[in-house]
Amino acid sequence: MDGSGDIGLTVEGHVACLTLSRPKKLNAMTPRMADRLYEAVVAINRNRDVRSVVLSGEGGRAFSVGSDINALDQYPQAWDFHNRMQDYPRSVRALRAPVVCAITGYCLG
C-alpha cells in the first residue's frame, strides 16, 4: 500500500503489520478505512511469504473506538451504515495467516 491513508501495512520477513492510523480520532473506522483494510487484506493474502499478521492501533490511547459516527451522513439509511460496519471484521476474518491483535487503550464497537 502507498502509506497515504488511515490503514498502514508493512511486511518484515514473514510478519505483516496492519495498523489503524487515525490516532486523533481514536482510530475510529471510516468507509475509506474499511476499503483500505480490505485492500491490505488482499495484498497480505497474495504475499506467500506472510506467515502471521499483527493488527494494532496507532497512538496508544485506543486500538479502535469502532465506527466513526460522523460518517453516518455518508449513507442514505442508517441500516446501510450498520451493514458497512460488518465489513471490518469480515476483512480480518478473511486473512489466511494467523492474526495477533496488539490492543492498547480503548477497544470498542
Side-chain angles (χ1 to χ4, degrees):
M1 300 191 59
D2 63 14
S4 65
D6 301 321
I7 299 291
L9 172 60
T10 60
V11 178
E12 292 185 32
H14 299 293
V15 179
C17 295
L18 263 175
T19 305
L20 307 178
S21 299
R22 216 174 152 225
K24 290 181 181 178
K25 294 290 187 175
L26 301 177
N27 299 316
M29 295 290 289
T30 64
R32 179 174 183 263
M33 288 175 72
D35 293 340
R36 290 184 54 80
L37 179 62
Y38 176 78
E39 293 167 7
V41 167
V42 169
I44 291 168
N45 285 343
R46 286 185 180 156
N47 186 337
R48 294 185 180 264
D49 291 332
V50 173
R51 296 184 188 164
S52 62
V53 179
V54 176
L55 177 60
S56 64
E58 186 178 329
R61 289 182 49 212
F63 170 74
S64 178
V65 293
S67 296
D68 187 341
I69 60 170
N70 291 321
L72 266 172
D73 61 355
Q74 297 176 22
Y75 297 93
Q77 300 176 18
W79 187 251
D80 296 326
F81 178 75
H82 170 74
N83 287 337
R84 184 60 189 248
M85 290 188 313
Q86 303 307 310
D87 290 346
Y88 324 140
R90 281 188 198 120
S91 291
V92 174
R93 283 194 305 267
L95 285 161
R96 294 185 188 140
V99 179
V100 174
C101 292
I103 299 174
T104 50
Y106 296 109
C107 182
L108 308 169

